[in-house]
């Protein structure tokens, strides 16, 4: 088993810009998987993707 945490992110919008959301999945060795997702209102696909990255890094920092 790897001792490295992994983070998967995605963001999308319906229309560009349009209704947008993001999701983050953080997997850490020997610990439960953490998932987070939220709607972010009207935004472009790029904003949704970068929001997922920023929120994912923030979550990872909180969890140590």
């Amino acid at each position: 088993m790897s001792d490295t945490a992994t983070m998967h992110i995605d963001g999308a919008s319906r229309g560009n810009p349009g209704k947008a959301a993001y999701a983050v999945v953080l997997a850490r060795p020997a610990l439960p998987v953490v998932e987070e997702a939220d709607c972010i209102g009207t935004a472009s696909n790029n904003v949704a993707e970068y929001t997922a990255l920023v929120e994912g890094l923030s979550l990872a920092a909180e969890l140590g």
Side-chain angles (χ1 to χ4, degrees), residues 14-43:
R14 289 186 182 259
N16 205 11
K19 292 181 182 179
Y22 74 91
V24 176
V25 177
L26 184 60
R28 302 164 296 157
L31 293 169
V33 172
V34 178
E35 300 173 345
E36 179 180 308
D38 200 7
C39 295
I40 60 172
T42 301

Side-chain angles (χ1 to χ4, degrees), residues 12-21 40-49 51:
S13 64
R14 289 186 182 259
N16 205 11
K19 292 181 182 179
I40 60 172
T42 301
S44 70
N45 183 65
N46 286 343
V47 168
E49 293 279 0
T51 299

